[in-house]
Amino acid sequence: MSAHSGVPAPVESEEPRSPCYDAATEEDVEFNKEFRHCFTTVDDVQMHYVVGGEGSQVMVLLHGWPHSWYVYRDIMPSLLPGRTVIAIDLPGMGDSTGDPSSMARAVLAGYVHQLLNHLGYRENVQVVAHDFGVGVAYALAAQYREQVAGLFLMDFPLVGKRLKFADFAPLSWHFSFNQQYPLAEEMVRGRVETFMSFLFAPSETGEIPASDAELAEYVRVFSRPQVLHAGFELYRTWGQDEIDNTEFQDSPLTIPVRMLTTVGFAPITLPALQDAAPQAIGSAVPDVGHHLVHEAPDHVLAEINAFFSIP
């Protein structure tokens, strides 16, 4: 596809329903010179997204769990040359407000699709995604093929014909814990900081998965009851993803697809991804944990720019 010709005029943002949405950026003078927080309602869910740049190429950033758009904050300015960059809080998460009809990735992709349509970006969108954002990115590309030009994906097992949730559920305790309703909510509510501090403890390699500022921002958003619940619901809908992705994989993707992953996860992620996109390529990043954007931002940035051309 040719590059998107012309960037639509900025859509007027709605009054935010989420308090303190800019807590992590309100005093970040340099960031606020280039980016703005925006809100748009899609099917009764007010979507929060951070947008910057006026480049002809649109790039969308999708986060996973337990993150928000903020996972990309450090690399976003360096993605701007030639691009319009949009980091989205997934429906029900971050500072998006309202209850999506389901947290299944095919449903979440529909909200992203409608938001991008509203903003005027109906084709040639480059998509970068991490963790559960990968599932949303794939469902977006599989359902709305004219909208997505390519996928740069990070460290997520794409279930479907080959891979089932049961195949990797034993790899981490939280895969099963997060599925327990309402136990997970009841155990973590009021203890979000303790829970997040454990999830972002230094890895075995000594890498620190999140700074104090990043951890504080994730504690803030996951202290919102709807976000805590929606995050756990991501794990409770994996079975629906198996059904949806199995159907999507009957029509393989032909756009460029790249997977970046940790060393231990590579044997699982790439073969499963190639069921969805047979020409997909991938590589592993040594000496880092799951939180690739936090732990290796320079490497991730270089890989994104090498994969996606800049106008």
Side-chain angles (χ1 to χ4, degrees):
M1 291 183 181
S2 60
H4 185 89
S5 58
V7 177
V11 174
E12 184 177 351
S13 177
E14 300 170 0
E15 191 68 24
R17 302 208 301 261
S18 175
C20 305
Y21 65 88
D22 62 348
T25 61
E26 60 180 341
E27 297 181 3
D28 192 336
V29 176
E30 293 303 313
F31 190 78
N32 290 326
K33 288 179 181 178
E34 299 178 309
F35 293 94
R36 64 190 184 276
H37 293 264
C38 296
F39 296 84
T40 296
T41 296
V42 175
D43 290 345
D44 298 324
V45 173
Q46 189 183 64
M47 299 280 288
H48 170 240
Y49 51 101
V50 178
V51 59
E54 297 179 349
S56 60
Q57 176 62 63
V58 177
M59 175 174 283
V60 168
L61 312 177
L62 301 177
H63 67 87
W65 184 92
H67 298 127
S68 68
W69 78 269
Y70 196 67
V71 70
Y72 295 107
R73 184 261 171 268
D74 285 347
I75 69 171
M76 286 169 65
S78 297
L79 292 171
L80 283 181
R83 298 186 178 113
T84 296
V85 176
I86 308 170
I88 298 175
D89 273 338
L90 293 179
M93 302 191 72
D95 284 290
S96 293
T97 299
D99 297 319
S101 57
S102 169
M103 292 302 288
R105 267 49 80 188
V107 174
L108 300 185
Y111 286 91
V112 174
H113 165 69
Q114 290 187 65
L115 174 63
L116 293 176
N117 280 356
H118 179 76
L119 297 177
Y121 305 128
R122 298 175 179 272
E123 62 178 11
N124 198 43
V125 174
Q126 298 173 344
V127 181
V128 174
H130 176 251
D131 193 77
F132 276 104
V134 170
V136 179
Y138 170 60
L140 180 70
Q143 294 177 101
Y144 312 105
R145 295 181 180 236
E146 73 289 347
Q147 195 160 44
V148 179
L151 300 176
F152 182 92
L153 311 174
M154 290 177 280
D155 217 44
F156 184 75
L158 194 67
V159 295
K161 291 182 177 181
R162 179 193 305 258
L163 187 65
K164 309 300 180 183
F165 174 69
D167 296 331
F168 56 86
L171 294 179
S172 178
W173 62 272
H174 77 278
F175 288 149
S176 296
F177 174 80
N178 290 5
Q179 289 189 315
Q180 306 308 309
Y181 176 80
L183 179 65
E185 285 88 338
E186 293 178 355
M187 292 288 287
V188 177
R189 189 179 300 117
R191 306 179 182 90
V192 172
E193 184 171 4
T194 299
F195 187 58
M196 291 289 164
S197 297
F198 184 82
L199 291 171
F200 287 102
S203 66
E204 294 180 359
T205 64
E207 294 289 337
I208 299 175
S211 67
D212 290 344
E214 290 160 345
L215 178 61
E217 176 65 359
Y218 300 142
V219 170
R220 181 188 70 81
V221 294
F222 279 93
S223 293
R224 302 179 68 207
Q226 70 141 72
V227 177
L228 186 66
H229 174 66
F232 291 141
E233 283 292 305
L234 287 170
Y235 289 80
R236 297 166 185 157
T237 51
W238 234 321
Q240 184 61 49
D241 286 359
E242 291 182 7
I243 296 170
D244 294 337
N245 290 353
T246 296
E247 181 176 345
F248 294 153
Q249 289 170 3
D250 284 337
S251 300
L253 297 181
T254 57
I255 56 174
V257 179
R258 170 98 162 88
M259 173 70 80
L260 196 66
T261 189
T262 57
V263 172
F265 226 15
I268 297 175
T269 54
L270 186 57
L273 179 61
Q274 288 172 337
D275 283 342
Q279 303 305 312
I281 58 175
S283 62
V285 184
D287 302 322
V288 297
H290 171 64
H291 305 280
L292 292 169
V293 187
H294 285 317
E295 296 179 48
D298 292 342
H299 186 97
V300 169
L301 179 63
E303 291 279 1
I304 292 172
N305 283 328
F307 181 69
F308 285 128
S309 61
I310 302 175

